Amino acid sequence: MSDSLPFVFEIVALNVWINNRHILKDIRDLRIPRNSVFAIMGPSGSGKSTLLKVLNRLLELREGVKIEGEVKFNGENIFNIDPIRLRRKVGMVFQQPNPFYNMSIYDNIAYAVKANGIAKRKEEIDEIVKQSLIRANLYEEVKDNLKRQASSLSGGEQQRLVIARALALKPEVLLMDEPTSQIDVVGARKIEELIIELKKEITIILVSHNPQQAARVSDYVSLLYDGKLIEWGPSQRVFTYPKSELTEKYVAGRMG
Amino acid sequence: MKSKVIFVLTLACLLFLFFPFSWILFDLIVKGLPVILSSGINFFTGIPPIPGDGIGGIGTVIEGSLFIVSIATLISIPISLLTSIYIVMNEGKKLSRISRFLVETVLEFPTIIVGISVFMIFAVGLGLGLNGLTGAIALGIIMIPYSTVQTVENLRQAKEQYLEVGYSLGLTDSRVVRLLISEGREGVTTGILIGLAKIFGETAPLLFTTVTSFNIYLRSINSPVSGIPVLIFNYAFSPYDNWHDVAWGASLVLALIVLLLFILTRVTTRRR
């Protein structure tokens, strides 16, 4: 495995069934370039979230899941990587902001840092918490009282706290499953700005059902439809000269 | 017009439900409060009176109840927590479904049968005898399903919300379980409080598992010990007027303890 590969993820071939329903159908040759924002678009039920959860092997926690194929992370087949080790490198942010409501802002970030043994000394942990909040553009808003309960934050702030929580583990990739769909417009814009900033350091794979958002923030984009990969490529090319009629329809808002 | 009729009917039902409850509470206060007031603080610390001689106190049985209930709680917490974790983390598996079914069945089990069984198995069979510990085992067994059902409910909610989050942060299985307990801890507390409220008022199992003695303070685990409901049961059916009064006072104390536990339950579940 090597960081010098141009792609963090490479889906060589992938089929997924959930309770004997074919959810992802023969997805092949999809490569996710390092330090980019890679958007996965598609109407609801097209398999976007399923694809995302294959990448950090979260999908396998569910009953009735069958996965076939090969997916490479830094050149190594993810199904040969210990899922715990994989997930520490591939963070995730969910649709619904889900901070730990029983914990303070500080503890939300420190929890996994301590549990995973990333840092032990208090000064070290303090620094990680601070840096993560800065990277998630939340530090200025909360620095006066990190002991505040996470539940006192607004939806958008909670989502940025969750991003900070994931960043604290220093992941190479951040999977984001429609991170702005439950957030108000202002909060959503801040998160979009954050996504663009973060790609300098990490790779972001963003599930979005909103083509405008994908056009605003992504470098590469793909379209899933009914579990099939319709097309993928540099966003500019896909949005201006879509190869498939389905993509053209979807981008124009005539589908989904 | 129709909605007015429904409103009146609803109100009538509500009053119908409310009436017996408020009547019991009113009766308890009218008959119990003067007894407590006449004896003052001594009612909570003193020894019950001999027939025909004043009020005294119910300190011995308050102590007894607290002792038995505390041990029962210590016995039931780890068991119900582990059971809940098993049920929630293995949902869908056969043993998890069976455990859940068993817990829900035991919940409706007559407590007097638990009392007899504990008497047969622990007091006689294992030779523990009749004492606070045996009583606590009986109450602990009664408490387990109450706290388990509630804990399962809340752990399941925490699982729904945080299982994937926990794993996505690279936590190990045991760390994820700890996270779920931490985030679902109000539910765990509520479960314990509901269980406590239930066993505080239990009489029947104690009749089988403890020596009925109201006049001795606790000296050791083997001391004869009894609880508030047992005193109420015995004194209410005695022929002495002053013992009837003590029973009323004790009933009010018991009602207030249970009421307090339910208020605490409300407080712990109200968050978010």
Side-chain angles (χ1 to χ4, degrees):
Chain A
M1 63 176 266
S2 151
D3 288 353
S4 58
L5 281 173
F7 306 110
V8 258
F9 274 109
E10 182 183 355
I11 298 176
V12 182
L14 180 66
N15 275 289
V16 172
W17 292 263
I18 300 176
N19 297 329
N20 295 322
R21 261 191 59 211
H22 206 171
I23 304 292
L24 290 179
K25 297 166 186 166
D26 204 32
I27 293 180
R28 285 178 183 276
D29 303 321
L30 178 65
R31 288 175 294 276
I32 295 173
R34 197 176 293 281
N35 288 15
S36 67
V37 178
F38 190 106
I40 304 171
M41 304 187 299
S44 0
S46 56
K48 307 185 295 292
S49 298
T50 306
L51 177 58
L52 206 61
K53 286 178 182 173
V54 167
L55 299 179
N56 64 350
R57 301 191 61 183
L58 216 50
L59 190 69
E60 295 159 53
L61 295 174
R62 279 182 58 171
E63 298 263 321
V65 170
K66 193 176 121 199
I67 302 175
E68 269 175 16
E70 187 181 2
V71 177
K72 286 179 176 169
F73 173 63
N74 287 334
E76 196 179 352
N77 189 349
I78 59 168
F79 302 113
N80 295 332
I81 305 177
D82 171 22
I84 290 168
R85 193 163 67 86
L86 177 71
R87 290 174 197 139
R88 287 177 188 175
K89 302 234 175 210
V90 183
M92 184 160 190
V93 172
F94 298 79
Q95 205 168 343
Q96 190 74 38
N98 50 18
F100 304 133
Y101 288 107
N102 271 346
M103 296 184 200
S104 66
I105 294 168
Y106 181 97
D107 287 337
N108 257 276
I109 300 171
Y111 187 82
V113 172
K114 285 189 227 167
N116 293 352
I118 290 173
K120 287 198 173 68
R121 283 181 25 247
K122 191 180 176 298
E123 308 86 74
E124 262 181 289
I125 297 170
D126 287 354
E127 189 56 28
I128 291 176
V129 169
K130 184 180 169 187
Q131 290 307 327
S132 308
L133 285 169
I134 290 173
R135 288 174 75 194
N137 286 344
L138 187 61
Y139 188 65
E140 286 306 314
E141 285 151 78
V142 301
K143 64 178 176 188
D144 298 326
N145 191 358
L146 294 179
K147 292 285 158 214
R148 228 164 86 197
Q149 286 295 110
S151 50
S152 66
L153 298 173
S154 74
E157 289 170 331
Q158 287 186 11
Q159 196 64 308
R160 276 179 284 146
L161 175 61
V162 167
I163 294 172
R165 179 175 72 188
L167 291 175
L169 304 178
K170 305 213 165 57
E172 285 179 45
V173 182
L174 195 56
L175 310 174
M176 300 179 106
D177 191 357
E178 304 195 20
T180 60
S181 64
Q182 309 284 324
I183 312 289
D184 64 273
V185 185
V186 181
R189 206 184 56 224
K190 284 187 180 170
I191 289 169
E192 285 184 11
E193 288 165 6
L194 177 60
I195 290 172
I196 294 170
E197 251 173 74
L198 283 174
K199 75 171 176 188
K200 290 173 201 154
E201 307 158 53
I202 60 176
T203 310
I204 288 166
I205 306 176
L206 171 76
V207 161
S208 179
H209 61 201
N210 176 350
Q212 281 82 26
Q213 181 180 58
R216 277 195 300 272
V217 302
S218 71
D219 304 297
Y220 296 86
V221 68
S222 60
L223 179 71
L224 282 188
Y225 185 78
D226 191 28
K228 286 183 278 239
L229 179 63
I230 304 302
E231 76 171 286
W232 73 278
S235 304
Q236 207 167 3
R237 201 273 298 154
V238 175
F239 280 106
T240 14
Y241 305 107
K243 282 180 189 161
S244 143
E245 207 179 313
L246 271 173
T247 315
E248 199 179 326
K249 270 184 171 175
Y250 184 77
V251 168
R254 281 181 281 133
M255 176 181 87
Chain B
M1 183 57 210
K2 202 174 168 191
S3 74
K4 257 189 190 155
V5 174
I6 291 171
F7 174 76
V8 171
L9 279 175
T10 315
L11 196 70
C13 291
L14 200 66
L15 286 174
F16 185 74
L17 275 175
F18 191 67
F19 176 73
F21 175 74
S22 46
W23 182 74
I24 291 170
L25 202 63
F26 179 75
D27 207 32
L28 272 180
I29 293 170
V30 165
K31 291 179 175 140
L33 195 60
V35 176
I36 297 175
L37 290 178
S38 74
S39 192
I41 193 79
N42 188 42
F43 192 77
F44 300 95
T45 56
I47 294 176
I50 55 168
D53 185 28
I55 299 298
I58 56 166
T60 46
V61 285
I62 290 180
E63 185 194 56
S65 268
L66 290 177
F67 174 73
I68 297 172
V69 165
S70 305
I71 297 185
T73 310
L74 288 180
I75 294 171
S76 71
I77 286 177
I79 297 175
S80 79
L81 194 58
L82 289 174
T83 311
S84 311
I85 291 169
Y86 182 83
I87 291 177
V88 172
M89 296 309 285
N90 294 285
E91 256 176 344
K93 288 193 189 146
K94 208 171 190 176
L95 194 55
S96 164
R97 286 206 306 271
I98 293 172
S99 314
R100 197 179 158 84
F101 175 75
L102 274 179
V103 166
E104 279 166 6
T105 310
V106 177
L107 190 71
E108 308 300 341
F109 219 59
T111 55
I112 193 160
I113 294 173
V114 176
I116 297 173
S117 308
V118 170
F119 171 77
M120 293 302 290
I121 297 167
F122 290 91
V124 181
L126 296 175
L128 276 183
L130 302 178
N131 54 41
L133 186 63
T134 316
I137 291 171
L139 292 190
I141 290 172
I142 293 163
M143 185 173 174
I144 289 166
Y146 280 86
S147 45
T148 306
V149 165
Q150 186 70 31
T151 308
V152 163
E153 215 39 64
N154 285 270
L155 274 185
R156 183 182 285 148
Q157 278 173 26
K159 182 185 168 193
E160 193 88 4
Q161 203 171 2
Y162 292 112
L163 185 81
E164 288 196 331
V165 181
Y167 279 114
S168 81
L169 289 168
L171 300 181
T172 57
D173 291 343
S174 64
R175 287 282 181 179
V176 169
V177 170
R178 277 162 69 177
L179 174 69
L180 298 188
I181 294 170
S182 162
E183 283 300 312
R185 61 175 178 250
E186 289 86 1
V188 177
T189 318
T190 307
I192 292 167
L193 289 171
I194 288 177
L196 275 177
K198 169 72 185 169
I199 61 172
F200 248 107
E202 277 300 329
T203 318
L206 290 184
L207 294 175
F208 285 99
T209 51
T210 57
V211 177
T212 306
S213 108
F214 306 126
N215 300 315
I216 316 170
Y217 289 108
L218 210 62
R219 262 180 251 106
S220 74
I221 236 175
N222 288 319
S223 289
V225 62
S226 202
I228 304 171
V230 185
L231 175 133
I232 296 170
F233 177 75
N234 277 277
Y235 279 29
F237 287 101
S238 76
Y240 316 114
D241 282 343
N242 69 325
W243 280 20
H244 295 164
D245 288 343
V246 174
W248 278 112
S251 301
L252 182 58
V253 171
L254 185 62
L256 290 179
I257 290 174
V258 174
L259 207 60
L260 183 76
L261 286 167
F262 273 116
I263 292 169
L264 280 176
T265 315
R266 285 284 119 202
V267 174
T268 54
T269 46
R270 209 181 38 193
R271 257 178 23 94
R272 278 181 223 171

